[in-house]
Amino acid sequence: MSFQVSIKGDVEMEYRIERLDFEFAVVGVKNTILTEKGFEMVPKIWEEASKTGLVQRLIDMSWEDPQCKLESLLGIVGEEASITDEKFDYMIGVRYKNEVPEDMEKIIIPKSTWAVFPDMKNAWKRLYTEWLPTSGYELADLPCIECFYAPDHEPKDELWVPIIA
């Protein structure tokens, strides 16, 4: 189930609520990120993953058993939505049900509710200072998920933020 909502600031912040009534596995490779350098380090990790073939490998894995929600390349950010430590783990992965390759790891995301923002870069900039204080929602104790869709998909990316509903 999903529906659209907007939060007013200088410019409305568009989002929708998604309830995922199932748990799912994400398989990929984790990296440790310095929180203060996150916006600098994460793009470099994706660039390196593209150069080494990891991105293509994950795309190929995702086509073994495509899923209807979060069917994109995923960036799993931390262990909880509120990142307050000096470092956090960032996993580049995909939803995957088959055997986990030896050089990857798996995390399980339980049934949960999400605020989904269609403009990830803008959402990250405004999430904690504008949206959270005015939304009426509390963050759930799950990681945020960055979704990077295929080139012909609109929107190109989304930020999924776990909330307590």
Side-chain angles (χ1 to χ4, degrees), residues 29-35 42 45 75-80 83 87-92 105 143-144:
V29 175
K30 278 187 186 176
N31 294 273
T32 300
I33 304 291
L34 296 172
T35 302
V42 169
I45 289 170
I76 308 298
V77 184
E79 293 181 15
E80 56 187 46
I83 298 174
K87 298 177 184 178
F88 65 91
D89 285 333
Y90 184 89
M91 176 189 271
I92 293 176
E105 53 189 288
C144 289

Side-chain angles (χ1 to χ4, degrees), residues 5-37:
V5 184
S6 295
I7 294 289
K8 292 193 183 281
D10 288 344
V11 176
E12 288 187 20
M13 211 169 161
E14 182 183 335
Y15 70 98
R16 70 181 187 277
I17 301 298
E18 290 273 355
R19 288 183 177 83
L20 301 183
D21 294 326
F22 52 87
E23 74 173 24
F24 61 93
V26 176
V27 172
V29 175
K30 278 187 186 176
N31 294 273
T32 300
I33 304 291
L34 296 172
T35 302
E36 67 182 27
K37 295 188 183 250

Side-chain angles (χ1 to χ4, degrees), residues 16-88:
R16 70 181 187 277
I17 301 298
E18 290 273 355
R19 288 183 177 83
L20 301 183
D21 294 326
F22 52 87
E23 74 173 24
F24 61 93
V26 176
V27 172
V29 175
K30 278 187 186 176
N31 294 273
T32 300
I33 304 291
L34 296 172
T35 302
E36 67 182 27
K37 295 188 183 250
F39 287 108
E40 177 186 329
M41 292 178 74
V42 169
K44 288 179 181 177
I45 289 170
W46 279 99
E47 185 179 316
E48 183 65 20
S50 187
K51 286 180 186 175
T52 64
L54 175 61
V55 167
Q56 187 58 55
R57 210 171 137 211
L58 290 168
I59 290 169
D60 293 345
M61 288 169 59
S62 73
W63 282 105
E64 287 180 29
D65 187 16
Q67 309 295 308
C68 63
K69 294 279 185 183
L70 296 164
E71 76 277 8
S72 60
L73 287 169
L74 305 175
I76 308 298
V77 184
E79 293 181 15
E80 56 187 46
S82 178
I83 298 174
T84 56
D85 295 330
E86 288 182 24
K87 298 177 184 178
F88 65 91

Side-chain angles (χ1 to χ4, degrees), residues 81-83 123-133 139 144:
S82 178
I83 298 174
W124 272 127
K125 289 179 180 177
R126 300 172 63 194
L127 177 66
Y128 300 110
T129 57
E130 292 178 40
W131 182 79
L132 191 58
L139 297 176
C144 289

